[in-house]
Amino acid sequence: DQQVKQNSPSLSVQEGRISILNCDYTNSMFDYFLWYKKYPAEGPTFLISISSIKDKNEDGRFTVFLNKSAKHLSLHIVPSQPGDSAVYFCAASRSGGYNKLIFGAGTRLAVHP
Amino acid sequence: DVKVTQSSRYLVKRTGEKVFLECVQDMDHENMFWYRQDPGLGLRLIYFSYDVKMKEKGDIPEGYSVSREKKERFSLILESASTNQTSMYLCASSMGGKTETQYFGPGTRLLVL
């Protein structure tokens, strides 16, 4: 039973346009959410995070939105660049306990010129 | 820069062999993690450790064990490799706080024949 779901395995976007990657979760105990980016043959790297006390967090071209009532978060990349082409993983952690993350299956983003 | 290194990028083993995957981090991090990444399943936590000689089971510990004798080193052991353990194995480390970023190594692609 996947507690963190990324229902779109892939997304294709034109350079300069907005990329929107979506993530749903089922566990209401999750209180911290992250996005990681992974290039082939490399480990995932941290991109951006959001606490459940916020509904938006922005870092340059990347913005994460959290809708707690819908148990949904999204990552917006504006403008998209070819170097953004990678697999994006959504992750969540529960209140209390250690720094233990539950990851989604990932969405492969392709940004084409 | 945080550096997490994994002993091998590629490994080919035979069914029934004992397999050791080594991970070393150079940032004095308290937490260390082992994940496996499979298509359509994302990253799944096998084991983690929050201190030397301490270990906790993750979501899929069956068929694996771990060892953390020194703070900087976390080993994953497959006692008797099976074909369903063919996967990409990723090691990560982080500081002790719950919201601390996890830093990943480049991964070890293991093929069990």
Side-chain angles (χ1 to χ4, degrees), chain A residues 78-94:
Chain A
V78 184
S80 302
Q81 299 173 353
D84 296 329
S85 297
V87 178
Y88 290 78
F89 291 100
C90 170
S93 68
R94 285 166 35 173

Side-chain angles (χ1 to χ4, degrees), chain A residues 31 36 41 43 93-94 99, chain B residues 9 33 37 94 98 100 102 105:
Chain A
D31 65 350
Y36 277 79
S93 68
R94 285 166 35 173
N99 182 4
Chain B
R9 295 300 301 268
F33 308 83
Q37 181 194 355
S94 73
K98 186 174 112 58
E100 294 292 335
Q102 290 189 19

Side-chain angles (χ1 to χ4, degrees), chain A residues 2 31-32 34 36 38 41-46 87 89 93-106, chain B residues 9 31 33 35 37 40-43 45 48 50 56-59 90 94-95 97-102 104-106:
Chain A
Q2 284 196 300
D31 65 350
Y32 188 65
L34 309 90
Y36 277 79
K38 185 180 185 300
E42 294 182 13
T45 55
F46 170 74
V87 178
F89 291 100
S93 68
R94 285 166 35 173
S95 54
Y98 302 105
N99 182 4
K100 183 180 165 185
L101 299 178
I102 307 296
F103 283 84
Chain B
R9 295 300 301 268
N31 297 331
F33 308 83
Y35 295 88
Q37 181 194 355
L41 296 175
L43 279 70
L45 182 64
F48 69 101
Y50 53 90
E56 291 282 340
K57 291 180 180 178
D59 300 313
L90 291 158
S94 73
M95 296 286 284
K98 186 174 112 58
T99 60
E100 294 292 335
T101 300
Q102 290 189 19
F104 283 83

Side-chain angles (χ1 to χ4, degrees), chain B residues 11-21 63-67 76-82 85 110 112:
Chain B
L11 271 181
V12 180
K13 297 292 181 181
R14 298 221 171 261
T15 301
E17 278 193 77
K18 191 168 186 175
V19 181
F20 292 87
L21 302 182
Y64 303 95
S65 62
V66 290
S67 173
L76 180 70
I77 303 151
L78 288 66
E79 294 288 343
S80 177
S82 63
Q85 292 178 310
L110 173 66
V112 182

Side-chain angles (χ1 to χ4, degrees), chain A residues 39-104:
Chain A
Y39 292 118
E42 294 182 13
T45 55
F46 170 74
L47 190 57
I48 193 169
S49 63
I50 187 166
S51 164
S52 60
I53 61 172
K54 294 186 172 183
D55 54 18
K56 177 182 173 181
N57 188 28
E58 195 170 351
D59 183 2
R61 297 186 296 113
F62 303 91
T63 303
V64 57
F65 295 91
L66 175 62
N67 181 334
K68 288 188 290 294
S69 61
K71 294 191 178 70
H72 176 83
L73 64 156
S74 60
L75 174 69
H76 292 210
I77 306 173
V78 184
S80 302
Q81 299 173 353
D84 296 329
S85 297
V87 178
Y88 290 78
F89 291 100
C90 170
S93 68
R94 285 166 35 173
S95 54
Y98 302 105
N99 182 4
K100 183 180 165 185
L101 299 178
I102 307 296
F103 283 84

